[in-house]
């Protein structure tokens, strides 16, 4: 068994050696490796008001429903969802912030956000015309153990909106009240965690990474009791609700729950798979034999997987590839999700469910933003690719149980995960360093150096673009351009970095690309601004006092993470000393 290099020789993702072969993806296009903060929404000829949104309800129209509509906690059998209305108590709700690009996705007129009744609609206090709310049923593996039925315990989907381009978007209120899946919880959310999800989902999107989006954030005007540190000292916090937006909120666990319940519910796996393919993977539905998507498995018997003969196998492969590409992009910007349970894995390859997430500050491959995960660090930064593969294995096991794919097709999906991850990760790291081609040894040594000296991940790569491809620069001057990011290193470490820079500059000088060209291209993939935890905390502290200005400033900041943004340089600084006090990173706090 050989390993896939993830971060350095000490951090390996074990995969069979045949997983290392390079193949073109049958469906999912390779990563472009040029992120940009441009607003991708197009101009619309007509904007809608809230009463004229183009609602559609394919999920509840085409899938089986729970016959009950109450929110009493219970096991929901033979159904994909429960019809349930928002029930959070509201008292003078206020609009905290909203995203213009997301409004444009929905063809929603920006003037609608000025309506005095807007917060009532998006706190769930007043029903939106055309909405048919429901909570989804799903299960999942949590920290590697099957957890049974989970479901939307505080998220209520309002329905699907089809925009003028024919794109389908689901609207979901998170923190809107109890559902049958709430178990012993209250179904509510606090302002603290809602600000984090609202800002980070938009920040991740503008970094060029697939994610759920956030339309708006409102306060409920009511207090919610939370024990932030699970230490027996609960306190009251302001309540809030985020309106999340995604093409679909289906997860791996949406399929697992039906397979685990045996023959009586097993058919729902196929029903739900058909639904997903029909609405979200139509190119698979329309495959033809002429595409000749047949691949050797590399096994001793030289067997072949023909994806055109089984749409479910083709679907499993694309889900695996999307997941691999997503996690490669996370690694590229230093994002750690924190809770990669199978109920937090989107079938569309979206970043979903922002809980104890975190961006790397000082580079530490074992960093986890989740204090619950500290003993084993299952979900630490370095482990994310490995966990992605583990989760794909659970997903394909579900499809196997439902007799939708066979063993060879399941293995091929996992093989494609490994190949796709390495293809995308190597492409990303090559672009981040401005190299002409991937250099495993050079990148491995760099990441080892960064881990030893706890170098700031974001600022280092941004600053690296200042290096000149000039092999005549004296050794004692090589580190000058990196002085601001290589802090407090001694003589021995200076020698290690000088040695690395000599090799790096040699590679750059052989590329024939000018320093200015390389700097421009590197700055398109290395952000200057990320949503650091201390920035979130500053905005939260102000918002809890009724000042939403910093939330709105941060939203505008993260919408253009690759731009210099004159006057905003302070937001790119290293975390101050106070940022390391307990509570600032919101690591394992309830929502």
């Amino acid at each position: 068994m050989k390993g896939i290099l993830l971060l350095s020789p000490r951090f390996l993702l074990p995969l069979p050696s045949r997983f290392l072969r390079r193949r073109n993806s049958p469906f999912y296009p390779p990563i472009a490796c040029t992120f940009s903060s441009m607003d991708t929404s197009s101009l619309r000829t007509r904007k809608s008001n809230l009463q004229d949104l183009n609602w559609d309800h394919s999920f509840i129209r085409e899938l089986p429903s729970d016959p009950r509509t109450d929110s009493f906690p219970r096991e929901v059998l033979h159904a994909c969802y429960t019809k349930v209305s928002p029930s959070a108590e509201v008292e003078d709700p206020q609009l905290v912030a909203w995203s213009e690009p997301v409004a444009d996705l929905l063809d929603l007129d920006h003037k609608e956000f000025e309506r005095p009744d807007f917060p009532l609609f998006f706190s769930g206090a007043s029903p939106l015309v055309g909405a048919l709310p429901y909570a989804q049923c799903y299960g999942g593996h949590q920290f590697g153990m099957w957890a049974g039925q989970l479901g939307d315990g505080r998220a209520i989907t309002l329905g699907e909106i089809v925009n003028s381009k024919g794109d389908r978007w689901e609207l979901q209120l998170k923190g809107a009240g109890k559902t049958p899946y709430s178990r012993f919880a209250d179904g509510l959310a606090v302002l603290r965690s809602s600000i984090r999800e609202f800002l980070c989902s938009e920040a991740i999107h503008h970094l060029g990474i697939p994610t759920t989006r956030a339309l708006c954030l409102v306060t409920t005007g009511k207090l919610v009791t939370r024990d932030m540190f699970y230490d027996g000292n609960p306190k009251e916090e302001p309540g809030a609700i985020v309106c999340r937006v995604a093409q679909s909120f289906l997860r791996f666990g949406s399929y697992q729950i039906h397979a685990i319940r045996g023959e009586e519910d097993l058919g729902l796996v196929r029903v739900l798979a058909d639904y997903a393919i029909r609405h979200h993977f139509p190119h698979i539905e329309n495959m033809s034999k002429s595409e000749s998507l047949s691949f050797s498995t590399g096994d001793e018997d030289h067997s072949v997987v023909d994806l055109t003969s089984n749409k479910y196998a083709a679907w499993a492969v694309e889900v695996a590839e999307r997941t691999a590409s997503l996690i490669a992009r996370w690694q590229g910007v230093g994002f750690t999700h924190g809770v990669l349970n199978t109920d937090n894995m989107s079938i569309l390859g979206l970043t979903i469910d922002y809980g104890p997430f975190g961006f790397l500050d000082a580079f530490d491959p074992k960093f986890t933003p989740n204090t619950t995960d500290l003993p084993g660090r299952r979900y630490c930064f370095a482990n994310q690719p490995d966990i992605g593969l583990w989760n794909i294995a659970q997903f394909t096991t579900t499809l196997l149980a439902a007799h939708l794919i066979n063993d060879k097709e399941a293995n091929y999906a996992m093989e494609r995960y490994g190949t796709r991850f390495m293809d995308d990760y190597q492409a990303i790291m090559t672009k981040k360093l401005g190299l002409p081609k991937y250099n495993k040894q050079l990148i491995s040594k760099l990441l080892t150096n960064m881990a030893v000296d706890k170098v700031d991940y974001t600022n280092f790569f941004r600053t690296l673009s200042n290096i000149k491809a000039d092999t005549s620069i004296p050794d004692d001057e090589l580190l000058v351009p990196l002085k601001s990011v290589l802090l407090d290193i001694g003589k021995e470490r200076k020698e290690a970095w000088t040695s690395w820079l000599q090799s790096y500059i040699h590679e750059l000088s052989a590329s024939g690309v000018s320093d200015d060209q390389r700097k421009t291209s590197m700055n398109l993939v290395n952000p200057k601004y990320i949503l650091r935890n201390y920035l979130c905390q500053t905005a939260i502290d102000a918002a809890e006092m009724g000042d939403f200005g910093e939330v709105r400033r941060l939203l505008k900041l993260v919408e253009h993470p690759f731009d210099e943004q004159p006057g905003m340089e302070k937001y790119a600084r290293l975390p101050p000393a106070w940022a390391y006090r307990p509570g600032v990173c919101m690591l394992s706090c309830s929502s």
Side-chain angles (χ1 to χ4, degrees):
M1 298 281 283
K2 294 183 181 179
I4 281 184
L5 179 68
L6 171 58
L7 293 168
S8 79
R10 293 177 297 155
F11 305 108
L12 299 178
L13 169 61
L15 287 173
S17 58
R18 64 189 179 90
F19 280 27
L20 298 176
R21 294 196 310 276
R22 297 288 176 265
R23 295 197 186 100
N24 290 328
S25 167
F27 305 111
Y28 199 50
I31 195 167
C33 292
T34 301
F35 304 147
S36 115
S37 56
M38 291 177 59
D39 178 6
T40 57
S41 61
S42 59
L43 294 175
R44 307 292 197 269
T45 56
R46 179 180 179 274
K47 298 288 186 180
S48 300
N49 59 34
L50 291 177
Q51 284 71 35
D52 295 331
L53 290 171
N54 183 22
W55 291 94
D56 186 41
H57 299 286
S58 67
F59 198 89
I60 63 174
R61 184 173 63 246
E62 300 176 24
L63 298 170
S65 171
D66 178 4
R68 292 171 56 175
T69 58
D70 62 276
S71 59
F72 187 80
R74 62 186 186 275
E75 188 174 24
V76 176
L77 302 172
H78 324 312
C80 296
Y81 64 93
T82 302
K83 293 178 181 177
V84 59
S85 297
S87 61
E89 293 186 17
V90 171
E91 184 177 299
D92 189 26
Q94 302 293 318
L95 177 62
V96 175
W98 61 281
S99 168
E100 292 183 14
V102 178
D104 291 339
L105 289 178
L106 307 175
D107 297 337
L108 185 58
D109 194 320
H110 295 184
K111 291 182 180 179
E112 292 296 280
F113 293 87
E114 301 171 5
R115 293 173 54 152
D117 58 353
F118 185 91
L120 291 171
F121 289 118
F122 286 91
S123 64
S126 296
L128 273 169
V129 174
L132 293 176
Y134 66 89
Q136 189 189 150
C137 178
Y138 52 81
H141 280 86
Q142 298 190 328
F143 293 92
M145 303 294 292
W146 177 248
Q149 178 180 289
L150 299 168
D152 287 333
R154 56 183 167 169
I156 296 177
T157 297
L158 300 177
E160 305 150 44
I161 289 174
V162 180
N163 67 16
S164 57
K165 297 171 64 178
D167 299 328
R168 183 179 300 271
W169 296 97
E170 291 185 21
L171 269 63
Q172 185 180 89
L173 300 183
K174 185 174 181 179
K178 288 185 178 180
T179 77
Y181 313 102
S182 299
R183 290 170 289 181
F184 302 106
D186 57 17
L188 305 177
V190 298
L191 182 60
R192 163 176 47 85
S193 62
S194 300
I195 286 173
R196 285 169 55 80
E197 171 144 5
F198 175 80
L199 289 175
C200 197
S201 57
E202 287 305 284
I204 287 289
H205 168 75
H206 291 286
L207 285 168
I209 302 173
T211 178
T212 59
R213 304 292 299 277
L215 174 64
C216 61
L217 167 62
V218 300
T219 59
T220 62
K222 303 291 287 187
L223 295 175
V224 177
T225 302
R226 287 290 182 270
D227 187 352
M228 183 189 300
F229 301 109
Y230 302 104
D231 61 0
N233 295 298
K235 70 172 186 175
E236 291 187 326
E237 300 185 51
I241 294 175
V242 174
C243 180
R244 306 198 294 186
V245 177
Q247 298 97 322
S248 174
F249 286 96
L250 284 170
R251 305 124 186 282
F252 292 5
S254 303
Y255 298 84
Q256 288 182 285
I257 188 65
H258 304 303
I260 207 76
R261 286 172 168 169
E263 290 299 324
E264 196 168 358
D265 278 16
L266 199 57
L268 290 182
V269 178
R270 182 184 295 268
V271 170
L272 203 53
D274 286 339
Y275 170 84
I277 293 170
R278 184 164 56 252
H279 289 286
H280 304 292
F281 300 81
H283 52 286
I284 290 177
E285 190 82 79
N286 299 324
M287 279 190 310
S288 68
K289 289 288 184 179
S290 63
E291 295 179 61
S292 300
L293 295 173
S294 299
F295 302 95
S296 170
T297 63
D299 294 330
E300 292 181 359
D301 60 359
H302 303 293
S303 55
V304 171
V305 170
D306 180 9
L307 299 183
T308 56
S309 66
N310 183 0
K311 68 177 182 180
Y312 304 111
W315 179 54
V317 167
E318 183 163 345
V319 171
E321 290 201 345
R322 288 185 182 219
T323 303
S325 185
L326 172 70
I327 295 177
R329 289 172 185 256
W330 288 352
Q331 304 303 107
V333 298
F335 176 78
T336 309
H337 184 281
V339 199
L340 286 182
N341 297 326
T342 57
D343 57 298
N344 292 340
M345 299 296 294
S346 160
I347 64 162
L348 298 183
L350 306 176
T351 312
I352 192 171
D353 286 347
Y354 291 85
F357 66 81
F359 285 88
L360 291 173
D361 291 321
F363 182 63
D364 177 7
K366 303 301 289 182
F367 166 72
T368 177
N370 186 350
T371 55
T372 305
D373 192 35
L374 281 176
R377 297 182 185 266
R378 175 182 176 86
Y379 296 140
C380 72
F381 177 73
N383 285 352
Q384 290 186 134
D386 200 357
I387 292 299
L389 178 62
W390 192 91
N391 288 338
I392 287 294
Q394 311 317 307
F395 181 66
T396 55
T397 297
T398 296
L399 302 186
L400 279 165
H403 311 295
L404 301 184
I405 61 175
N406 60 37
D407 287 337
K408 290 188 182 299
E409 291 165 339
N411 288 337
Y412 183 70
M414 289 187 285
E415 176 179 342
R416 283 303 312 170
Y417 174 94
T419 302
R420 184 54 186 267
F421 175 80
M422 283 310 304
D423 283 345
D424 283 8
Y425 180 73
Q426 290 179 4
I428 288 168
M429 296 307 293
T430 300
K431 290 288 187 180
K432 285 180 74 68
L433 272 72
L435 294 171
K437 62 181 183 299
Y438 181 69
N439 185 319
K440 176 181 176 179
Q441 184 176 2
L442 188 71
I443 293 173
S444 298
K445 184 60 177 176
L446 169 63
L447 294 172
T448 298
N449 282 346
M450 291 178 69
V452 169
D453 293 311
K454 305 299 181 187
V455 176
D456 185 84
Y457 191 82
T458 300
N459 288 353
F460 175 83
F461 282 108
R462 185 75 175 193
T463 305
L464 190 64
S465 66
N466 295 325
I467 293 293
K468 305 298 183 184
D470 182 355
T471 56
S472 67
I473 298 174
D475 289 354
D476 59 357
E477 295 180 16
L478 286 176
L479 298 182
V480 172
L482 301 179
K483 184 178 180 180
S484 64
V485 290
L486 298 181
L487 306 172
D488 303 321
I489 60 173
K491 180 180 178 181
E492 181 181 343
R493 297 304 306 152
K494 286 182 179 179
E495 291 175 354
W497 279 102
T498 298
S499 175
W500 181 84
L501 276 171
Q502 289 170 338
S503 299
Y504 177 57
I505 290 172
H506 181 268
E507 286 286 299
L508 296 182
S509 63
S511 71
V513 177
S514 72
D515 292 333
D516 288 342
Q517 278 183 295
R518 186 179 66 259
K519 181 178 177 66
T520 297
S521 63
M522 288 176 67
N523 286 350
L524 286 174
V525 297
N526 292 315
K528 179 166 184 174
Y529 302 100
I530 56 168
L531 189 67
R532 297 180 187 267
N533 272 312
Y534 85 91
L535 297 177
C536 260
Q537 188 61 43
T538 300
I540 289 166
D541 290 344
E544 289 182 337
M545 299 298 292
D547 179 2
F548 305 139
E550 191 64 13
V551 174
R552 295 165 185 166
R553 277 188 290 275
L554 278 183
L555 176 61
K556 294 304 178 185
L557 180 85
V558 300
E559 286 179 346
H560 304 280
F562 303 98
D563 298 347
E564 286 297 325
Q565 301 193 50
M568 305 297 281
E569 290 82 4
K570 68 177 183 178
Y571 290 97
R573 293 174 186 165
L574 295 176
W578 63 261
Y580 297 99
R581 73 172 189 261
V584 171
C585 291
M586 322 297 287
L587 299 180
S588 183
C589 42
S590 51
S591 299

